[in-house]
Amino acid sequence: IAGITQAPTSQILAAGRRMTLRCTQDMRHNAMYWYRQDLGLGLRLIHYSNTAGTTGKGEVPDGYSVSRANTDDFPLTLASAVPSQTSVYFCASSVVAGNYNEQFFGPGTRLTVL
Amino acid sequence: KNEVEQSPQNLTAQEGEFITINCSYSVGISALHWLQQHPGGGIVSLFMLSSGKKKHGRLIATINIQEKHSSLHITASHPRDSAVYICAVAANYQLIWGAGTKLIIKP
């Protein structure tokens, strides 16, 4: 693989179900991010990780959890999905954390919660 | 009021036209990013700038720190430039995102 991959590409999920969105990068980037994108709104940061073993909360963390067991993987888990979590989810990474670093984005996961 | 405002929200133009997309922000920033989101959804970084002007092919980005304003210009626009263009400002160790400008270039 080259760059960032996300899985699944899309998913329809019943409310109350648990779901994990996967994100893997092969660029050995230290920092990784999860965003959601909703119509008419800018990207909103859910959680981030500056380096393996550390995570932090973004602007809209409620209802989501992340882990960063190694450099390459940064899964996002919805413990009990709700319809308001219907969105397009983007994973991104950068060489290191910080404002000056270009972020590279995955192709996105379109999630619908019914 | 949003901290990052883009204008226009939507822009339709004819092939060959000179395009300008604007980004205004209300916070102190250390850098500003312009990104492009293709119709298929993929997001790519175009520019990162903290002063002056940068050029890449037919794309030019400028920033005026004093006026808290940046512009993205596209010269000799082409239908393949049709996309959503997103401005994001780096402030307090986080990125604040604009809502995007949807550009359609008609042949």
Side-chain angles (χ1 to χ4, degrees):
Chain A
I1 56 174
I4 300 184
T5 59
Q6 291 183 235
T9 302
S10 64
Q11 182 74 45
I12 299 174
L13 189 67
R17 297 296 295 268
R18 180 184 179 89
M19 176 75 192
T20 296
L21 308 185
R22 299 185 298 279
C23 175
T24 299
Q25 53 101 1
D26 66 353
M27 298 177 285
R28 308 304 294 172
H29 285 176
N30 284 307
M32 296 187 75
Y33 315 86
W34 272 107
Y35 295 95
R36 61 177 289 172
Q37 186 179 41
D38 301 293
L39 196 63
L41 299 177
L43 288 164
R44 292 184 291 170
L45 182 65
I46 305 170
H47 285 286
Y48 65 91
S49 170
N50 288 339
T51 190
T54 69
T55 63
K57 293 182 179 180
E59 181 185 355
V60 289
D62 294 343
Y64 306 95
S65 63
V66 291
S67 61
R68 187 86 184 280
N70 56 61
T71 297
D72 297 347
D73 301 299
F74 191 42
L76 176 74
T77 297
L78 289 67
S80 179
V82 295
S84 62
Q85 292 178 309
T86 294
S87 187
V88 180
Y89 291 85
F90 288 96
C91 179
S93 71
S94 59
V95 175
V96 293
N99 300 329
Y100 293 95
N101 292 286
E102 178 183 0
Q103 291 188 16
F104 295 81
F105 285 81
T109 293
R110 184 173 296 275
L111 181 67
T112 302
V113 182
L114 301 176
Chain B
K1 187 180 186 302
N2 292 334
E3 292 171 305
V4 179
E5 297 272 3
Q6 288 188 235
S7 63
Q9 283 187 300
N10 296 282
L11 177 58
T12 300
Q14 290 297 131
E15 182 174 358
E17 287 188 36
F18 181 81
I19 302 299
T20 296
I21 297 170
N22 297 299
C23 177
S24 297
Y25 52 91
S26 58
V27 296
I29 71 169
S30 52
L32 183 143
H33 299 256
W34 280 103
L35 304 98
Q36 179 191 54
Q37 185 169 22
H38 300 291
I43 300 173
V44 295
S45 179
L46 298 174
F47 296 103
M48 189 207 68
L49 63 167
S50 53
S51 66
K53 175 179 168 179
K54 286 191 176 180
K55 184 175 188 292
H56 185 253
R58 295 180 293 105
L59 299 178
I60 304 166
T62 64
I63 188 169
N64 185 316
I65 295 292
Q66 288 72 31
E67 294 185 3
K68 292 191 165 80
H69 181 268
S70 175
S71 292
L72 177 68
H73 305 285
I74 305 174
T75 62
S77 60
H78 190 276
R80 64 175 175 266
D81 296 325
S82 298
V84 175
Y85 292 85
I86 304 170
C87 168
V89 301
N92 298 322
Y93 302 101
Q94 62 176 322
L95 286 179
I96 306 171
W97 297 81
T101 294
K102 184 175 182 179
L103 174 66
I104 297 172
I105 303 296
K106 293 185 175 180

